[in-house]
Amino acid sequence: MIFSIIKECYFVNYEFKISRGKEKMIVMDVKINNFYAFKDFHMNMSYPKKIVNSYIRDEHLKERPNFRYKKVNIIMGANATGKTSFGQMLMSVFNFIHKKETAYLINRICDVKKEANFSIDFVMNRFTLYSMQIIIHPVNDDDYTENNIEVKIDKIKINKNDSYESCKKRMESKNNLSEYTANYVEELDKLSRLSWLFVSPEKEEKFKFPKGDFKKIYITVLEKTLKALDPSIEKVEELNDIDDSYVIRMKSKNVIIQEGSIVNESILSSGTKAGLEIARIVASILTNRNQFYYCDEKFSYVHSDIEKAFLSIMIDKLGENEQLFFTTHNMDILDLTLPKHSFIFMKKDIYNEKMPIKCISADEILKRNTDSLKSAVENDLFCTAPSVDCVYDIIS
Protein backbone atom coordinates (compact mmCIF):
# COMPACT_ATOMS: atom_id res chain seq x y z
CA MET A 1 0.00 0.00 0.00
CA ILE A 2 1.13 3.56 -0.55
CA PHE A 3 -0.61 4.98 2.46
CA SER A 4 0.71 5.22 5.97
CA ILE A 5 -0.47 4.62 9.50
CA ILE A 6 -1.08 7.43 11.97
CA LYS A 7 1.37 7.08 14.80
CA GLU A 8 3.11 9.03 17.49
CA CYS A 9 6.09 6.70 17.76
CA TYR A 10 9.63 7.24 16.59
CA PHE A 11 10.37 8.43 13.07
CA VAL A 12 7.16 7.57 11.29
CA ASN A 13 6.28 9.01 7.93
CA TYR A 14 2.72 9.95 8.75
CA GLU A 15 2.10 12.27 11.65
CA PHE A 16 -1.21 13.71 12.73
CA LYS A 17 -1.67 15.91 15.81
CA ILE A 18 -5.08 17.18 16.80
CA SER A 19 -5.36 20.89 17.38
CA ARG A 20 -7.43 21.11 20.53
CA GLY A 21 -5.60 23.26 23.06
CA LYS A 22 -2.61 23.68 20.78
CA GLU A 23 -0.95 26.70 19.24
CA LYS A 24 -0.83 27.72 15.64
CA MET A 25 2.71 27.77 14.34
CA ILE A 26 4.26 29.44 11.32
CA VAL A 27 7.78 28.39 10.31
CA MET A 28 9.85 31.38 9.19
CA ASP A 29 13.43 30.16 8.91
CA VAL A 30 15.25 26.81 9.11
CA LYS A 31 18.96 25.99 9.21
CA ILE A 32 20.21 22.39 9.22
CA ASN A 33 23.75 21.09 9.58
CA ASN A 34 24.85 17.43 9.79
CA PHE A 35 21.37 15.95 9.81
CA TYR A 36 20.56 13.60 6.93
CA ALA A 37 22.65 14.85 3.98
CA PHE A 38 22.15 18.51 4.92
CA LYS A 39 25.19 20.66 5.58
CA ASP A 40 24.84 24.40 6.14
CA PHE A 41 21.38 24.15 4.62
CA HIS A 42 19.13 27.21 4.86
CA MET A 43 15.50 27.80 3.89
CA ASN A 44 13.70 31.05 4.61
CA MET A 45 9.93 31.46 4.52
CA SER A 46 9.60 35.26 4.50
CA TYR A 47 9.20 37.35 1.35
CA PRO A 48 10.18 40.98 0.79
CA LYS A 49 7.12 42.81 -0.49
CA LYS A 50 3.36 42.48 -0.71
CA ILE A 51 2.01 40.88 -3.88
CA VAL A 52 -0.90 42.85 -5.35
CA ASN A 53 -3.97 40.76 -6.23
CA SER A 54 -2.29 37.58 -5.06
CA TYR A 55 -4.16 34.31 -5.45
CA ILE A 56 -3.15 33.47 -1.87
CA ARG A 57 -5.17 35.33 0.73
CA ASP A 58 -3.79 36.70 4.00
CA GLU A 59 -0.17 35.82 3.31
CA HIS A 60 0.90 37.63 6.42
CA LEU A 61 0.49 37.28 10.16
CA LYS A 62 -3.04 38.21 11.20
CA GLU A 63 -3.19 41.87 12.34
CA ARG A 64 0.49 42.24 11.39
CA PRO A 65 0.39 43.04 7.63
CA ASN A 66 4.14 43.70 7.38
CA PHE A 67 4.99 40.35 8.93
CA ARG A 68 4.86 38.43 5.64
CA TYR A 69 5.39 34.69 5.43
CA LYS A 70 5.18 32.13 2.65
CA LYS A 71 1.83 30.59 3.34
CA VAL A 72 2.24 28.08 0.49
CA ASN A 73 5.60 26.43 -0.15
CA ILE A 74 5.70 24.21 -3.22
CA ILE A 75 8.96 22.27 -3.15
CA MET A 76 10.22 20.77 -6.40
CA GLY A 77 13.41 19.07 -7.47
CA ALA A 78 14.91 15.87 -8.77
CA ASN A 79 14.91 12.61 -6.82
CA ALA A 80 17.09 12.44 -3.69
CA THR A 81 17.42 16.22 -3.37
CA GLY A 82 16.05 16.37 0.18
CA LYS A 83 12.35 17.15 -0.27
CA THR A 84 11.20 14.27 1.93
CA SER A 85 14.17 14.54 4.29
CA PHE A 86 13.38 18.20 4.93
CA GLY A 87 9.86 17.29 5.98
CA GLN A 88 11.09 14.44 8.17
CA MET A 89 13.59 16.77 9.81
CA LEU A 90 10.84 19.23 10.69
CA MET A 91 8.68 16.41 12.00
CA SER A 92 11.57 15.18 14.17
CA VAL A 93 12.06 18.62 15.66
CA PHE A 94 8.33 19.01 16.32
CA ASN A 95 8.30 15.61 18.02
CA PHE A 96 11.35 16.60 20.06
CA ILE A 97 9.53 19.72 21.24
CA HIS A 98 6.41 17.71 22.05
CA LYS A 99 7.95 14.55 23.56
CA LYS A 100 11.24 16.01 24.83
CA GLU A 101 13.08 12.87 23.74
CA THR A 102 16.51 13.27 22.14
CA ALA A 103 16.19 10.12 20.01
CA TYR A 104 14.03 12.06 17.58
CA LEU A 105 17.11 14.12 16.68
CA ILE A 106 20.02 11.80 17.35
CA ASN A 107 18.82 9.19 14.87
CA ARG A 108 18.89 11.83 12.14
CA ILE A 109 22.56 12.77 12.56
CA CYS A 110 24.74 12.02 9.55
CA ASP A 111 28.26 11.99 11.04
CA VAL A 112 28.28 11.27 14.79
CA LYS A 113 31.91 12.40 15.06
CA LYS A 114 30.96 15.93 14.08
CA GLU A 115 28.75 18.51 15.72
CA ALA A 116 25.17 18.66 14.48
CA ASN A 117 23.11 21.81 14.81
CA PHE A 118 19.67 22.99 13.90
CA SER A 119 17.85 26.29 14.22
CA ILE A 120 14.29 27.27 13.55
CA ASP A 121 12.43 30.57 13.81
CA PHE A 122 8.67 30.31 14.17
CA VAL A 123 5.66 32.27 15.30
CA MET A 124 3.47 31.09 18.17
CA ASN A 125 1.05 32.69 20.61
CA ARG A 126 -0.19 34.96 17.78
CA PHE A 127 2.32 37.77 18.21
CA THR A 128 5.51 36.11 19.47
CA LEU A 129 8.53 35.19 17.37
CA TYR A 130 10.56 32.31 18.77
CA SER A 131 14.05 31.27 17.80
CA MET A 132 15.15 27.79 18.88
CA GLN A 133 18.68 26.59 18.39
CA ILE A 134 19.93 23.06 19.03
CA ILE A 135 23.51 21.81 19.26
CA ILE A 136 24.38 18.12 19.53
CA HIS A 137 28.02 17.59 20.40
CA PRO A 138 29.92 14.74 18.71
CA VAL A 139 30.72 11.38 20.23
CA ASN A 140 33.60 9.02 19.61
CA ASP A 141 33.06 5.47 20.79
CA ASP A 142 30.35 6.06 23.36
CA ASP A 143 26.66 6.51 22.71
CA TYR A 144 24.96 9.88 22.92
CA THR A 145 23.79 10.99 26.33
CA GLU A 146 21.57 13.85 27.41
CA ASN A 147 24.73 15.85 28.10
CA ASN A 148 25.54 15.90 24.40
CA ILE A 149 22.61 18.12 23.53
CA GLU A 150 22.16 21.80 24.30
CA VAL A 151 19.19 23.98 23.50
CA LYS A 152 18.36 27.65 23.75
CA ILE A 153 15.12 29.46 22.98
CA ASP A 154 14.71 33.20 22.57
CA LYS A 155 11.50 35.07 21.96
CA ILE A 156 10.33 38.58 21.25
CA LYS A 157 6.99 40.30 20.83
CA ILE A 158 5.96 41.11 17.27
CA ASN A 159 4.97 44.76 17.15
CA LYS A 160 2.22 46.08 14.91
CA ASN A 161 4.53 47.34 12.17
CA ASP A 162 7.17 44.64 12.41
CA SER A 163 8.34 42.52 9.52
CA TYR A 164 10.08 39.22 10.19
CA GLU A 165 13.42 40.81 9.39
CA SER A 166 12.98 43.80 11.71
CA CYS A 167 11.69 41.57 14.49
CA LYS A 168 14.62 39.18 14.13
CA LYS A 169 17.08 42.05 14.10
CA ARG A 170 15.58 43.45 17.28
CA MET A 171 15.81 40.03 18.91
CA GLU A 172 19.48 39.65 18.01
CA SER A 173 20.30 43.12 19.33
CA LYS A 174 18.93 42.34 22.78
CA ASN A 175 21.51 42.10 25.53
CA ASN A 176 19.60 39.46 27.44
CA LEU A 177 19.61 36.63 24.90
CA SER A 178 19.47 33.24 26.56
CA GLU A 179 22.41 30.88 26.87
CA TYR A 180 22.60 27.30 25.69
CA THR A 181 21.59 24.86 28.37
CA ALA A 182 21.81 21.08 28.74
CA ASN A 183 18.51 21.21 30.64
CA TYR A 184 16.57 21.03 27.39
CA VAL A 185 13.40 19.79 29.07
CA GLU A 186 13.08 23.00 31.07
CA GLU A 187 13.93 25.05 27.99
CA LEU A 188 11.29 23.30 25.87
CA ASP A 189 8.69 23.94 28.54
CA LYS A 190 8.73 27.54 27.33
CA LEU A 191 6.81 26.41 24.26
CA SER A 192 3.16 25.54 23.95
CA ARG A 193 1.93 22.32 22.40
CA LEU A 194 2.02 22.32 18.62
CA SER A 195 -0.39 21.20 15.93
CA TRP A 196 0.73 19.64 12.66
CA LEU A 197 -0.04 17.12 9.94
CA PHE A 198 2.57 15.31 7.86
CA VAL A 199 1.77 12.85 5.07
CA SER A 200 4.32 11.06 2.89
CA PRO A 201 4.30 8.23 0.33
CA GLU A 202 6.26 5.79 2.47
CA LYS A 203 4.63 2.37 2.67
CA GLU A 204 2.92 1.20 5.82
CA GLU A 205 0.83 -1.86 6.47
CA LYS A 206 -2.23 -0.21 7.94
CA PHE A 207 -4.29 2.91 7.85
CA LYS A 208 -6.33 4.24 10.75
CA PHE A 209 -9.57 6.09 10.23
CA PRO A 210 -9.95 9.14 12.49
CA LYS A 211 -12.16 9.03 15.55
CA GLY A 212 -14.78 11.37 16.97
CA ASP A 213 -16.58 14.17 15.20
CA PHE A 214 -13.85 14.57 12.61
CA LYS A 215 -14.56 11.05 11.29
CA LYS A 216 -17.89 12.12 9.75
CA ILE A 217 -16.27 15.04 7.97
CA TYR A 218 -13.40 12.89 6.79
CA ILE A 219 -15.66 10.16 5.37
CA THR A 220 -17.67 12.78 3.44
CA VAL A 221 -14.49 14.26 1.94
CA LEU A 222 -13.10 10.77 1.33
CA GLU A 223 -16.14 9.70 -0.67
CA LYS A 224 -15.89 12.74 -2.95
CA THR A 225 -12.11 12.29 -3.25
CA LEU A 226 -12.37 8.65 -4.24
CA LYS A 227 -15.11 9.43 -6.77
CA ALA A 228 -12.76 11.95 -8.39
CA LEU A 229 -9.98 9.36 -8.51
CA ASP A 230 -12.18 6.47 -9.65
CA PRO A 231 -15.61 7.22 -11.22
CA SER A 232 -16.79 3.65 -10.52
CA ILE A 233 -16.83 4.37 -6.77
CA GLU A 234 -20.29 5.24 -5.52
CA LYS A 235 -20.14 5.50 -1.74
CA VAL A 236 -18.04 5.10 1.40
CA GLU A 237 -19.77 3.76 4.50
CA GLU A 238 -18.90 2.63 7.98
CA LEU A 239 -19.95 -0.94 8.79
CA ASN A 240 -21.98 -0.70 11.98
CA ASP A 241 -21.87 -4.42 12.82
CA ILE A 242 -18.06 -4.71 12.61
CA ASP A 243 -15.71 -2.56 14.69
CA ASP A 244 -13.33 -0.25 12.83
CA SER A 245 -14.53 -1.42 9.42
CA TYR A 246 -15.55 0.49 6.31
CA VAL A 247 -16.72 -0.34 2.82
CA ILE A 248 -15.97 1.41 -0.44
CA ARG A 249 -18.94 0.61 -2.65
CA MET A 250 -18.27 0.39 -6.38
CA LYS A 251 -20.62 -0.25 -9.28
CA SER A 252 -19.79 -3.97 -9.54
CA LYS A 253 -17.97 -4.81 -6.29
CA ASN A 254 -17.10 -3.60 -2.80
CA VAL A 255 -13.78 -2.96 -1.10
CA ILE A 256 -13.56 -3.60 2.63
CA ILE A 257 -11.19 -1.77 4.99
CA GLN A 258 -11.05 -3.64 8.30
CA GLU A 259 -8.84 -2.62 11.24
CA GLY A 260 -6.69 -0.50 8.96
CA SER A 261 -6.12 -3.09 6.24
CA ILE A 262 -7.72 -3.24 2.79
CA VAL A 263 -9.07 -6.76 2.52
CA ASN A 264 -9.14 -6.83 -1.28
CA GLU A 265 -6.72 -4.04 -2.10
CA SER A 266 -5.86 -5.27 -5.61
CA ILE A 267 -9.21 -3.86 -6.76
CA LEU A 268 -8.03 -0.30 -6.06
CA SER A 269 -5.41 1.50 -8.12
CA SER A 270 -2.40 3.08 -6.44
CA GLY A 271 -3.84 6.53 -7.06
CA THR A 272 -7.17 5.57 -5.50
CA LYS A 273 -5.42 4.22 -2.40
CA ALA A 274 -3.62 7.54 -2.11
CA GLY A 275 -7.05 9.12 -1.78
CA LEU A 276 -7.26 7.91 1.83
CA GLU A 277 -4.54 10.34 2.87
CA ILE A 278 -5.37 13.02 0.32
CA ALA A 279 -8.84 13.19 1.84
CA ARG A 280 -7.40 13.48 5.34
CA ILE A 281 -5.23 16.49 4.61
CA VAL A 282 -8.02 18.16 2.61
CA ALA A 283 -10.56 17.55 5.39
CA SER A 284 -8.09 18.87 7.98
CA ILE A 285 -7.55 22.07 6.01
CA LEU A 286 -11.29 22.54 5.43
CA THR A 287 -11.90 22.34 9.19
CA ASN A 288 -8.70 24.19 10.25
CA ARG A 289 -7.96 21.13 12.35
CA ASN A 290 -4.22 21.59 12.12
CA GLN A 291 -2.21 24.67 11.27
CA PHE A 292 0.97 23.29 9.74
CA TYR A 293 0.70 20.86 6.83
CA TYR A 294 3.42 18.94 4.97
CA CYS A 295 2.14 16.95 1.98
CA ASP A 296 4.99 14.95 0.47
CA GLU A 297 4.39 13.55 -3.03
CA LYS A 298 0.99 12.07 -2.29
CA PHE A 299 -0.06 12.59 -5.92
CA SER A 300 2.59 10.50 -7.66
CA TYR A 301 -0.07 8.11 -8.98
CA VAL A 302 -2.71 10.77 -9.58
CA HIS A 303 -3.50 12.53 -12.87
CA SER A 304 -1.96 15.98 -13.22
CA ASP A 305 -5.30 17.80 -13.53
CA ILE A 306 -6.60 16.10 -10.38
CA GLU A 307 -3.48 17.09 -8.45
CA LYS A 308 -3.82 20.70 -9.58
CA ALA A 309 -7.47 20.75 -8.55
CA PHE A 310 -6.79 19.34 -5.09
CA LEU A 311 -3.86 21.71 -4.52
CA SER A 312 -6.04 24.65 -5.57
CA ILE A 313 -8.65 23.67 -2.99
CA MET A 314 -6.02 23.25 -0.28
CA ILE A 315 -4.57 26.68 -1.01
CA ASP A 316 -7.96 28.37 -1.24
CA LYS A 317 -9.17 26.95 2.09
CA LEU A 318 -5.95 27.43 4.02
CA GLY A 319 -6.86 29.57 7.02
CA GLU A 320 -5.28 32.59 8.66
CA ASN A 321 -1.90 31.95 10.28
CA GLU A 322 -1.68 28.54 8.61
CA GLN A 323 1.03 27.13 6.37
CA LEU A 324 1.30 24.43 3.71
CA PHE A 325 4.36 22.63 2.34
CA PHE A 326 3.68 20.60 -0.80
CA THR A 327 6.31 18.55 -2.66
CA THR A 328 5.76 17.41 -6.23
CA HIS A 329 7.43 16.43 -9.51
CA ASN A 330 4.47 17.65 -11.55
CA MET A 331 5.57 20.41 -13.91
CA ASP A 332 1.96 21.38 -14.59
CA ILE A 333 1.79 22.80 -11.07
CA LEU A 334 3.92 25.64 -12.41
CA ASP A 335 0.89 26.80 -14.41
CA LEU A 336 -1.02 27.73 -11.24
CA THR A 337 -1.38 31.48 -10.75
CA LEU A 338 0.72 31.64 -7.61
CA PRO A 339 3.37 34.15 -6.52
CA LYS A 340 6.85 33.12 -7.62
CA HIS A 341 8.03 33.09 -4.02
CA SER A 342 5.71 30.10 -3.44
CA PHE A 343 8.03 27.86 -5.46
CA ILE A 344 11.20 26.42 -3.95
CA PHE A 345 13.61 24.23 -5.91
CA MET A 346 15.88 21.74 -4.20
CA LYS A 347 19.28 21.05 -5.72
CA LYS A 348 21.86 18.39 -4.83
CA ASP A 349 25.53 18.66 -5.74
CA ILE A 350 27.52 15.62 -4.61
CA TYR A 351 30.77 17.43 -5.41
CA ASN A 352 30.02 20.26 -3.00
CA GLU A 353 31.14 18.88 0.36
CA LYS A 354 30.34 22.08 2.26
CA MET A 355 26.74 22.42 1.01
CA PRO A 356 25.60 19.31 -0.88
CA ILE A 357 21.92 20.31 -0.76
CA LYS A 358 20.59 23.80 -1.20
CA CYS A 359 17.27 25.38 -2.03
CA ILE A 360 16.51 28.16 -4.48
CA SER A 361 13.41 30.31 -4.21
CA ALA A 362 12.06 31.22 -7.64
CA ASP A 363 11.73 34.91 -6.77
CA GLU A 364 15.47 35.11 -6.12
CA ILE A 365 16.10 34.72 -9.84
CA LEU A 366 12.86 35.74 -11.55
CA LYS A 367 12.39 39.38 -10.58
CA ARG A 368 9.83 40.57 -13.13
CA ASN A 369 6.13 39.77 -13.05
CA THR A 370 6.29 38.88 -16.73
CA ASP A 371 8.98 36.22 -16.24
CA SER A 372 7.62 32.75 -17.02
CA LEU A 373 8.32 30.29 -14.23
CA LYS A 374 7.55 27.25 -16.36
CA SER A 375 9.86 28.43 -19.16
CA ALA A 376 12.60 29.02 -16.60
CA VAL A 377 12.26 25.48 -15.27
CA GLU A 378 12.02 23.91 -18.71
CA ASN A 379 15.24 25.73 -19.66
CA ASP A 380 16.83 24.67 -16.35
CA LEU A 381 17.47 28.24 -15.24
CA PHE A 382 17.65 27.02 -11.63
CA CYS A 383 20.11 24.23 -12.55
CA THR A 384 17.93 21.65 -10.80
CA ALA A 385 17.19 19.28 -13.69
CA PRO A 386 18.29 15.69 -13.03
CA SER A 387 21.22 14.24 -14.91
CA VAL A 388 20.31 11.56 -17.45
CA ASP A 389 23.88 10.62 -18.37
CA CYS A 390 23.79 7.41 -16.35
CA VAL A 391 20.63 6.35 -18.16
CA TYR A 392 22.33 6.59 -21.55
CA ASP A 393 25.42 4.88 -20.13
CA ILE A 394 23.31 1.72 -19.98
CA ILE A 395 23.52 1.32 -23.75
CA SER A 396 26.98 2.81 -24.27
Side-chain angles (χ1 to χ4, degrees), residues 96-110:
F96 172 65
I97 294 172
H98 176 62
K99 296 281 189 177
K100 301 179 177 62
E101 295 177 4
T102 59
Y104 285 108
L105 299 178
I106 288 172
N107 288 7
R108 303 306 201 197
I109 294 175
C110 179

PDB file of all heavy atoms in Angstrom, residues 96-110:
ATOM      1  N   PHE A  96      10.418  16.317  18.969  1.00  0.00           N
ATOM      2  CA  PHE A  96      11.348  16.601  20.064  1.00  0.00           C
ATOM      3  C   PHE A  96      10.762  17.658  20.992  1.00  0.00           C
ATOM      4  O   PHE A  96      10.833  17.540  22.224  1.00  0.00           O
ATOM      5  CB  PHE A  96      12.687  17.060  19.497  1.00  0.00           C
ATOM      6  CG  PHE A  96      13.660  17.561  20.525  1.00  0.00           C
ATOM      7  CD1 PHE A  96      14.169  16.711  21.493  1.00  0.00           C
ATOM      8  CD2 PHE A  96      14.061  18.900  20.528  1.00  0.00           C
ATOM      9  CE1 PHE A  96      15.066  17.174  22.455  1.00  0.00           C
ATOM     10  CE2 PHE A  96      14.940  19.366  21.476  1.00  0.00           C
ATOM     11  CZ  PHE A  96      15.451  18.500  22.440  1.00  0.00           C
ATOM     12  N   ILE A  97      10.164  18.684  20.421  1.00  0.00           N
ATOM     13  CA  ILE A  97       9.528  19.715  21.238  1.00  0.00           C
ATOM     14  C   ILE A  97       8.384  19.124  22.056  1.00  0.00           C
ATOM     15  O   ILE A  97       8.230  19.410  23.241  1.00  0.00           O
ATOM     16  CB  ILE A  97       9.006  20.863  20.345  1.00  0.00           C
ATOM     17  CG1 ILE A  97      10.174  21.604  19.686  1.00  0.00           C
ATOM     18  CG2 ILE A  97       8.151  21.841  21.155  1.00  0.00           C
ATOM     19  CD1 ILE A  97       9.759  22.617  18.645  1.00  0.00           C
ATOM     20  N   HIS A  98       7.598  18.265  21.403  1.00  0.00           N
ATOM     21  CA  HIS A  98       6.407  17.712  22.055  1.00  0.00           C
ATOM     22  C   HIS A  98       6.759  16.640  23.080  1.00  0.00           C
ATOM     23  O   HIS A  98       6.261  16.652  24.210  1.00  0.00           O
ATOM     24  CB  HIS A  98       5.478  17.139  20.995  1.00  0.00           C
ATOM     25  CG  HIS A  98       4.272  16.449  21.541  1.00  0.00           C
ATOM     26  ND1 HIS A  98       3.326  17.103  22.296  1.00  0.00           N
ATOM     27  CD2 HIS A  98       3.860  15.162  21.448  1.00  0.00           C
ATOM     28  CE1 HIS A  98       2.380  16.247  22.654  1.00  0.00           C
ATOM     29  NE2 HIS A  98       2.691  15.065  22.150  1.00  0.00           N
ATOM     30  N   LYS A  99       7.649  15.703  22.712  1.00  0.00           N
ATOM     31  CA  LYS A  99       7.954  14.545  23.562  1.00  0.00           C
ATOM     32  C   LYS A  99       9.155  14.763  24.478  1.00  0.00           C
ATOM     33  O   LYS A  99       9.326  14.046  25.470  1.00  0.00           O
ATOM     34  CB  LYS A  99       8.233  13.334  22.678  1.00  0.00           C
ATOM     35  CG  LYS A  99       7.045  12.877  21.843  1.00  0.00           C
ATOM     36  CD  LYS A  99       6.088  12.071  22.667  1.00  0.00           C
ATOM     37  CE  LYS A  99       5.029  11.426  21.778  1.00  0.00           C
ATOM     38  NZ  LYS A  99       4.102  10.575  22.543  1.00  0.00           N
ATOM     39  N   LYS A 100      10.014  15.730  24.066  1.00  0.00           N
ATOM     40  CA  LYS A 100      11.240  16.015  24.834  1.00  0.00           C
ATOM     41  C   LYS A 100      12.159  14.794  24.914  1.00  0.00           C
ATOM     42  O   LYS A 100      12.789  14.527  25.939  1.00  0.00           O
ATOM     43  CB  LYS A 100      10.899  16.533  26.241  1.00  0.00           C
ATOM     44  CG  LYS A 100      10.057  17.799  26.237  1.00  0.00           C
ATOM     45  CD  LYS A 100       9.718  18.251  27.640  1.00  0.00           C
ATOM     46  CE  LYS A 100       8.946  19.559  27.650  1.00  0.00           C
ATOM     47  NZ  LYS A 100       7.645  19.464  26.954  1.00  0.00           N
ATOM     48  N   GLU A 101      12.234  14.059  23.820  1.00  0.00           N
ATOM     49  CA  GLU A 101      13.081  12.870  23.745  1.00  0.00           C
ATOM     50  C   GLU A 101      14.129  13.083  22.659  1.00  0.00           C
ATOM     51  O   GLU A 101      13.820  13.360  21.502  1.00  0.00           O
ATOM     52  CB  GLU A 101      12.234  11.633  23.436  1.00  0.00           C
ATOM     53  CG  GLU A 101      11.245  11.294  24.544  1.00  0.00           C
ATOM     54  CD  GLU A 101      10.367  10.111  24.200  1.00  0.00           C
ATOM     55  OE1 GLU A 101      10.571   9.506  23.123  1.00  0.00           O
ATOM     56  OE2 GLU A 101       9.469   9.788  25.004  1.00  0.00           O
ATOM     57  N   THR A 102      15.403  12.936  23.040  1.00  0.00           N
ATOM     58  CA  THR A 102      16.507  13.266  22.137  1.00  0.00           C
ATOM     59  C   THR A 102      16.629  12.304  20.964  1.00  0.00           C
ATOM     60  O   THR A 102      17.232  12.645  19.941  1.00  0.00           O
ATOM     61  CB  THR A 102      17.835  13.271  22.912  1.00  0.00           C
ATOM     62  OG1 THR A 102      18.041  11.979  23.506  1.00  0.00           O
ATOM     63  CG2 THR A 102      17.816  14.326  24.005  1.00  0.00           C
ATOM     64  N   ALA A 103      16.070  11.099  21.088  1.00  0.00           N
ATOM     65  CA  ALA A 103      16.189  10.120  20.006  1.00  0.00           C
ATOM     66  C   ALA A 103      15.605  10.638  18.701  1.00  0.00           C
ATOM     67  O   ALA A 103      16.049  10.254  17.616  1.00  0.00           O
ATOM     68  CB  ALA A 103      15.500   8.817  20.400  1.00  0.00           C
ATOM     69  N   TYR A 104      14.617  11.498  18.785  1.00  0.00           N
ATOM     70  CA  TYR A 104      14.030  12.062  17.580  1.00  0.00           C
ATOM     71  C   TYR A 104      15.068  12.797  16.737  1.00  0.00           C
ATOM     72  O   TYR A 104      14.969  12.845  15.510  1.00  0.00           O
ATOM     73  CB  TYR A 104      12.896  13.021  17.939  1.00  0.00           C
ATOM     74  CG  TYR A 104      11.633  12.338  18.380  1.00  0.00           C
ATOM     75  CD1 TYR A 104      11.233  12.363  19.709  1.00  0.00           C
ATOM     76  CD2 TYR A 104      10.840  11.661  17.462  1.00  0.00           C
ATOM     77  CE1 TYR A 104      10.072  11.728  20.116  1.00  0.00           C
ATOM     78  CE2 TYR A 104       9.675  11.027  17.855  1.00  0.00           C
ATOM     79  CZ  TYR A 104       9.287  11.064  19.183  1.00  0.00           C
ATOM     80  OH  TYR A 104       8.137  10.435  19.580  1.00  0.00           O
ATOM     81  N   LEU A 105      16.071  13.381  17.387  1.00  0.00           N
ATOM     82  CA  LEU A 105      17.106  14.120  16.675  1.00  0.00           C
ATOM     83  C   LEU A 105      18.353  13.286  16.439  1.00  0.00           C
ATOM     84  O   LEU A 105      18.932  13.316  15.346  1.00  0.00           O
ATOM     85  CB  LEU A 105      17.482  15.382  17.478  1.00  0.00           C
ATOM     86  CG  LEU A 105      16.361  16.391  17.715  1.00  0.00           C
ATOM     87  CD1 LEU A 105      16.883  17.546  18.563  1.00  0.00           C
ATOM     88  CD2 LEU A 105      15.790  16.906  16.408  1.00  0.00           C
ATOM     89  N   ILE A 106      18.762  12.537  17.430  1.00  0.00           N
ATOM     90  CA  ILE A 106      20.019  11.795  17.349  1.00  0.00           C
ATOM     91  C   ILE A 106      20.013  10.820  16.180  1.00  0.00           C
ATOM     92  O   ILE A 106      21.018  10.661  15.470  1.00  0.00           O
ATOM     93  CB  ILE A 106      20.289  11.070  18.684  1.00  0.00           C
ATOM     94  CG1 ILE A 106      20.672  12.092  19.760  1.00  0.00           C
ATOM     95  CG2 ILE A 106      21.387  10.025  18.532  1.00  0.00           C
ATOM     96  CD1 ILE A 106      20.764  11.515  21.153  1.00  0.00           C
ATOM     97  N   ASN A 107      18.896  10.171  15.953  1.00  0.00           N
ATOM     98  CA  ASN A 107      18.820   9.186  14.873  1.00  0.00           C
ATOM     99  C   ASN A 107      18.825   9.819  13.491  1.00  0.00           C
ATOM    100  O   ASN A 107      18.815   9.107  12.488  1.00  0.00           O
ATOM    101  CB  ASN A 107      17.575   8.322  15.036  1.00  0.00           C
ATOM    102  CG  ASN A 107      17.696   7.355  16.184  1.00  0.00           C
ATOM    103  OD1 ASN A 107      18.652   7.392  16.947  1.00  0.00           O
ATOM    104  ND2 ASN A 107      16.732   6.470  16.331  1.00  0.00           N
ATOM    105  N   ARG A 108      18.832  11.132  13.426  1.00  0.00           N
ATOM    106  CA  ARG A 108      18.885  11.828  12.139  1.00  0.00           C
ATOM    107  C   ARG A 108      20.285  12.344  11.822  1.00  0.00           C
ATOM    108  O   ARG A 108      20.522  12.866  10.734  1.00  0.00           O
ATOM    109  CB  ARG A 108      17.926  13.021  12.144  1.00  0.00           C
ATOM    110  CG  ARG A 108      16.459  12.701  12.436  1.00  0.00           C
ATOM    111  CD  ARG A 108      15.914  11.647  11.536  1.00  0.00           C
ATOM    112  NE  ARG A 108      14.453  11.678  11.470  1.00  0.00           N
ATOM    113  CZ  ARG A 108      13.717  10.679  11.011  1.00  0.00           C
ATOM    114  NH1 ARG A 108      14.295   9.580  10.605  1.00  0.00           N
ATOM    115  NH2 ARG A 108      12.401  10.757  10.962  1.00  0.00           N
ATOM    116  N   ILE A 109      21.210  12.217  12.758  1.00  0.00           N
ATOM    117  CA  ILE A 109      22.558  12.766  12.560  1.00  0.00           C
ATOM    118  C   ILE A 109      23.299  11.969  11.496  1.00  0.00           C
ATOM    119  O   ILE A 109      23.262  10.739  11.477  1.00  0.00           O
ATOM    120  CB  ILE A 109      23.330  12.778  13.887  1.00  0.00           C
ATOM    121  CG1 ILE A 109      22.666  13.767  14.858  1.00  0.00           C
ATOM    122  CG2 ILE A 109      24.792  13.143  13.668  1.00  0.00           C
ATOM    123  CD1 ILE A 109      23.275  13.761  16.244  1.00  0.00           C
ATOM    124  N   CYS A 110      24.009  12.672  10.637  1.00  0.00           N
ATOM    125  CA  CYS A 110      24.743  12.023   9.554  1.00  0.00           C
ATOM    126  C   CYS A 110      26.092  11.498  10.036  1.00  0.00           C
ATOM    127  O   CYS A 110      26.372  10.313   9.938  1.00  0.00           O
ATOM    128  CB  CYS A 110      24.935  13.007   8.403  1.00  0.00           C
ATOM    129  SG  CYS A 110      25.843  12.345   7.001  1.00  0.00           S
TER     130      CYS A 110
END
